[in-house]
Amino acid sequence: MISQFKGPDKDKALTVLVKTSLKQYKFDIAEKQINSISTGSIKKEIKQLYGKVQEWKNEHEEIKNLGGLHILGTERHESRRIDNQLRGRAGRQGDIGSSRFFISLEDDLMRLFGSERISNVMQRLGLQEGENIEHPWISKAIENAQKKVESRNFDIRKHLLEYDNVMNQQREFTYDKRNNILNEGDLKKEMTDSVKDVIEYKMEQIFGKKTHADNWDMESFNNFLSSSFGTKINPREIDLKSQTFNDFAKLSSGHLIEKYNTREKKFTPQLMRQLERAIMLEVLDNKWKAHLYSMDHLKEGIGWRAYGERDPLVEYKFEGFRLFENLVDQIKLEALEILFKVQPVGIADQIRMITPEEESTFYGKTEHSEYGQFDTIKLGQEEEAAQSQGPPEFPGQPQPPSEQAAAVQVRRDQKKVGRNEPCYCGSGKKYKYCHGQN
């Protein structure tokens, strides 16, 4: 292939082949290729590289003659994988090497998992304290201790994963819900369904699922409707005694949906769809962040349930599901409350009248009331022009009187005090460290 290149291109191709040969430790081939290079500068550069590689080769051979890399470990790790990786440093790419590890019966690994067994082995072998221990039984006992630690760590990770799966299921549901809000163009059906769910949720809280209509606390239910949706249901207009739980829930939902449709006509359907999406996203994000904190607090203290002979994982799943159900209900309730209370704002409502105090503050002069150093603050030409013209005009906003907006000529009665000059009060300090600090 090299024969098809000529001149500088051939030298470049040979350079690539030389570098490849050096990486593969094919020094004889690399030397022949170097001699075939004709360009002087390239040949000089490659020879310098070849010299460095040869120097490394000589050092490498010297280390191999000494026995290669020796790994010295001061303890055994809990994981066999870490020890094997450390041993592997001594035998890279087929090179020779050795390793030796020193351990003590007081090491954490031996103290927790292998101390008693190894002590028995030492007694059988008649070994004394402080004497070196080298025996296959000892190595086997250490390996068994490492297996126990690895098994324990695996169980811990597996247990934590089961806890994380609870949050992961809630997270997937919440993110799917959020994506649907972003992608759906019309959320009206979802909002009307939320009305039905919220009514049933609050009726269960206030009335109870199995109570008779005679025992319903209509006053509390109407207080909820009034505070949340600004409406009430008159018990005199319906035959309450003949109403079942589902019938009254359907009637109350229909009443709220009718009011919701009225508000939609007031806002226009297009604006209502935008409000639904924006409010649902805002409420969902805020409630979800608060829910994450609640789940973290629950996870921190759920382990105490084990003292009551209850499985903490089962209790965490149960409590987490209860919190998540409450989260879903609260998202629906808060979003509906905002949609029922929000009001359109016109241009006239956005403009606020200026009070006399604000007017005098805005157009009056500013004095140095404490020291009397300045009579007024001199305004620049742009500020004077802006003040003479007054603020920008808006529809419905009263304009300030022209005599108050007139530019004021400024005159200084005394010499201006420099920052590094003595203060005028006679304290002996510089002005910037005395009255000029503020």
Side-chain angles (χ1 to χ4, degrees):
M1 294 181 60
I2 299 298
S3 58
Q4 63 182 350
F5 296 101
K6 294 182 179 180
D9 293 337
K10 182 179 180 180
D11 291 341
K12 291 180 180 179
L14 287 170
T15 302
V16 174
L17 290 176
V18 170
K19 292 180 179 180
T20 304
S21 300
L22 291 176
K23 288 181 179 179
Q24 298 175 354
Y25 306 108
K26 299 177 180 179
F27 300 103
D28 297 336
I29 299 176
E31 188 174 0
K32 294 178 181 179
Q33 293 168 343
I34 291 174
N35 296 328
S36 301
I37 299 176
S38 58
T39 305
S41 58
I42 297 178
K43 190 172 185 178
K44 182 179 179 181
E45 180 183 353
I46 294 299
K47 280 190 173 182
Q48 291 177 353
L49 177 62
Y50 181 76
K52 293 180 180 180
V53 174
Q54 281 285 20
E55 182 180 354
W56 170 87
K57 181 184 177 182
N58 296 333
E59 293 177 354
H60 180 69
E61 292 296 332
E62 183 180 355
I63 293 174
K64 287 177 63 176
N65 295 331
L66 294 174
L69 179 63
H70 181 72
I71 302 297
L72 186 63
T74 58
E75 62 178 347
R76 293 291 288 271
H77 197 270
E78 292 181 350
S79 173
R80 290 171 295 171
R81 178 179 59 86
I82 304 298
D83 289 341
N84 292 335
Q85 287 180 346
L86 187 58
R87 289 192 185 99
R89 299 301 303 176
R92 293 296 180 187
Q93 298 182 359
D95 291 342
I96 62 174
S98 59
S99 62
R100 178 175 290 270
F101 288 82
F102 292 87
I103 62 172
S104 170
L105 293 180
E106 297 178 357
D107 290 345
D108 292 338
L109 179 66
M110 306 306 299
R111 180 173 54 83
L112 295 176
F113 296 96
S115 180
E116 183 177 355
R117 178 179 297 180
I118 295 179
S119 297
N120 295 334
V121 173
M122 290 177 60
Q123 293 177 1
R124 291 178 185 178
L125 297 177
L127 299 175
Q128 301 297 326
E129 184 176 356
E131 188 175 350
N132 295 337
I133 305 171
E134 292 187 18
H135 198 278
W137 290 359
I138 306 298
S139 300
K140 188 66 175 179
I142 295 172
E143 187 176 353
N144 291 334
Q146 288 177 316
K147 289 181 179 179
K148 289 181 180 180
V149 176
E150 291 173 357
S151 178
R152 185 194 64 171
N153 293 339
F154 174 77
D155 291 338
I156 292 174
R157 290 193 298 269
K158 181 181 178 181
H159 199 58
L160 288 176
L161 181 61
E162 291 175 344
Y163 278 90
D164 291 340
N165 285 336
V166 177
M167 276 303 303
N168 190 49
Q169 293 173 1
Q170 297 181 4
R171 186 179 295 108
E172 288 178 355
F173 180 88
T174 305
Y175 286 2
D176 289 342
K177 179 76 172 177
R178 197 176 192 280
N179 289 333
N180 290 336
I181 295 173
L182 290 171
N183 298 327
E184 287 289 335
D186 191 348
L187 297 176
K188 183 176 181 180
K189 184 178 184 305
E190 183 174 348
M191 302 311 299
T192 54
D193 292 340
S194 298
V195 170
K196 300 175 184 177
D197 296 338
V198 167
I199 289 296
E200 292 181 359
Y201 167 67
K202 296 304 292 187
M203 283 179 62
E204 288 183 7
Q205 280 189 339
I206 298 173
F207 298 157
K209 184 72 174 180
K210 299 180 179 180
T211 57
H212 192 267
D214 293 336
N215 299 323
W216 289 351
D217 188 358
M218 286 300 300
E219 183 179 357
S220 299
F221 186 70
N222 273 327
N223 289 337
F224 157 70
L225 292 178
S226 177
S227 61
S228 299
F229 307 116
T231 185
K232 289 185 178 182
I233 294 179
N234 191 354
R236 300 177 182 178
E237 297 179 357
I238 58 175
D239 186 7
L240 193 60
K241 294 183 179 180
S242 62
Q243 295 287 328
T244 63
F245 185 92
N246 293 332
D247 293 338
F248 188 72
K250 186 176 181 181
L251 185 146
S252 302
S253 302
H255 178 71
L256 291 180
I257 292 173
E258 182 179 351
K259 184 179 180 182
Y260 189 83
N261 293 333
T262 304
R263 293 182 62 79
E264 182 179 353
K265 294 179 182 178
K266 181 179 180 180
F267 281 91
T268 69
Q270 182 180 2
L271 179 58
M272 200 66 177
R273 301 292 85 80
Q274 296 178 2
L275 285 173
E276 290 169 351
R277 179 181 289 104
I279 291 173
M280 280 295 292
L281 286 174
E282 181 71 18
V283 173
L284 177 63
D285 292 345
N286 292 336
K287 291 293 184 181
W288 173 247
K289 287 186 287 187
H291 177 72
L292 291 178
Y293 284 113
S294 300
M295 293 296 291
D296 286 341
H297 291 312
L298 175 64
K299 188 176 180 181
E300 289 177 1
I302 201 66
W304 295 102
R305 303 287 179 95
Y307 287 96
E309 297 183 355
R310 296 181 180 180
D311 187 353
L313 178 59
V314 175
E315 292 293 311
Y316 180 75
K317 290 180 178 179
F318 176 78
E319 295 291 342
F321 180 73
R322 184 181 60 82
L323 288 175
F324 189 71
E325 276 189 326
N326 184 65
L327 167 70
V328 175
D329 293 332
Q330 289 299 320
I331 289 174
K332 295 178 181 178
L333 176 59
E334 185 170 334
L336 286 174
E337 286 181 349
I338 297 175
L339 284 169
F340 271 85
K341 292 178 181 178
V342 68
Q343 296 293 336
V345 179
I347 296 179
D349 298 326
Q350 300 179 25
I351 301 174
R352 182 174 60 85
M353 299 293 291
I354 300 178
T355 62
E357 292 79 11
E358 291 175 334
E359 187 178 74
S360 61
T361 302
F362 184 80
Y363 294 105
K365 66 179 183 177
T366 304
E367 296 184 352
H368 197 287
S369 57
E370 185 176 358
Y371 306 111
Q373 182 181 0
F374 307 109
D375 289 335
T376 57
I377 295 178
K378 184 176 181 181
L379 303 177
Q381 294 182 356
E382 296 181 357
E383 294 178 343
E384 291 179 358
Q387 191 175 22
S388 62
Q389 294 175 3
E393 298 182 2
F394 295 97
Q397 180 177 353
Q399 300 300 316
S402 58
E403 60 272 10
Q404 292 181 347
V408 180
Q409 185 176 3
V410 179
R411 183 191 307 169
R412 192 185 304 280
D413 295 334
Q414 53 185 322
K415 180 183 177 182
K416 180 179 178 180
V417 181
R419 285 176 51 80
N420 292 317
E421 295 180 3
C423 185
Y424 56 84
C425 68
S427 63
K429 298 180 180 179
K430 291 184 178 181
Y431 175 70
K432 64 181 180 181
Y433 295 131
C434 191
H435 287 93
Q437 287 184 348
N438 298 327

